[in-house]
Amino acid sequence: MATAVSAAVSLPSSKPTSSLPSKTSVLFLEKLSFNKVPFYLRNVSTGWRLVSIRAQITTEAPVKVEKISRKQEEGIVVNKFRPKEPYVGRCLLNTKITGDDAPGETWHMVFSTEGEIPYREGQSIGIIADGVDANGKPHKLRLYSIASSALGDFGDSKTVSLCVKRVVYTNDKGEVVKGVCSNFLCDLKPGAEVKITGPVGKEMLMPKDPNATIVMLGTGTGIAPFRGFLWRMFFEKHEDYKFNGLAWLFLGVPTKSSLLYKEEFEKMKEKCPEKFRLDFAVSREETNEKGEKMYIQTRMAQYAEELWDLFKKDNTFVYICGLKGMEKGIDDIMTSLAAKDGIEWAEYKKQMKKGEQWNVEVY
């Protein structure tokens, strides 16, 4: 509760005086509480005379301060299409982007939207697979991070792209199980209809500041939102946005044949080497100097001091997307670095998240 204090001063004296004597001492006698607002009663002695100060307290309701987001949230659209009334688009392109010897298949697909799904970089869409489940009900939607910029792969704001790994595994009974939605998507042929919901999500939106440092940490298909970021930064021209900061991408995959969008990223680095840094971590084919497998946190450790210096800056934004297990490795690195500066990493990360500088979307 805000408190305003106004003071009325009386100077009892036989002779009128226009000002207080030069020797004035203020004695804080006691602290009281008034409506949970502390204030002090004060006596002011001026030589042999006593000056009393009467404080009048008024209270008013606190002004609610609206938080101003540091992300590109203006005009953001959420849940325009829902499961009961999804948007029906068409598959325009579906191509495998991993090598034949890669452990698993990942596909890049483009759907038509005719501009009806006004998404932003970092958002997600829901997909409802055709058919029904074991109970005869429509399949539940599955969320996927969007892998294109807001303009889309064709640059006309009329498409949306996904990066999807085909899920196939063997259960405890020795049966081969196929993920319903991922296999539906990976098997789509151009021209096939697709039921789409959304867009959803604000966690992974890009920062407003075109001079920001953006550190992107992704594993596998977690690369999806970062592809959208990087297309906006380096492949497109916008009247209201020109990236002049530093983008640093770490991508972790099991094999080199699993590296996603490698050629695109290398073209960006060639085009803007002063603005884009690119580091891959190939766990099954690379090791560090200690012989340890090269996971994303292992690669980050090679730049640990430099990254910590960036993380301490007010205009650095960190984005993490991919397998949940990567978080612990990143925390382990940052905990030891922060400790050198007498900082508790868990608390520091909490403050970064509060300031929208630490953004996580893992599964």
Side-chain angles (χ1 to χ4, degrees), residues 217-235:
L217 313 173
T219 58
T221 55
I223 192 62
F226 306 144
R227 180 177 184 264
F229 285 13
L230 294 166
W231 269 57
R232 180 174 173 82
M233 293 175 190
F234 301 120
F235 277 173

Side-chain angles (χ1 to χ4, degrees), residues 81-83 125-129 138-144 181 197:
F81 294 97
R82 298 177 180 274
I125 55 172
I127 300 293
I128 303 174
H139 291 296
K140 293 182 179 180
L141 70 85
R142 292 292 183 267
L143 288 176
Y144 293 91
C181 200
T197 66

Side-chain angles (χ1 to χ4, degrees), residues 298-354:
T298 320
R299 182 66 74 194
M300 289 176 63
Q302 296 179 335
Y303 305 96
E305 297 288 347
E306 188 175 0
L307 285 168
W308 175 233
D309 286 340
L310 289 175
F311 287 8
K312 289 187 286 186
K313 294 183 178 181
D314 186 56
N315 71 332
T316 294
F317 296 78
V318 182
Y319 293 83
I320 301 174
C321 189
L323 297 174
K324 189 173 184 179
M326 65 190 292
E327 279 191 282
K328 184 182 183 304
I330 295 170
D331 283 338
D332 289 344
I333 295 171
M334 303 316 302
T335 296
S336 59
L337 285 168
K340 292 180 181 179
D341 287 348
I343 296 173
E344 184 181 353
W345 170 245
E347 183 60 32
Y348 190 81
K349 185 175 73 170
K350 190 182 298 183
Q351 294 304 314
M352 287 186 72
K353 188 167 184 62
K354 187 176 181 181

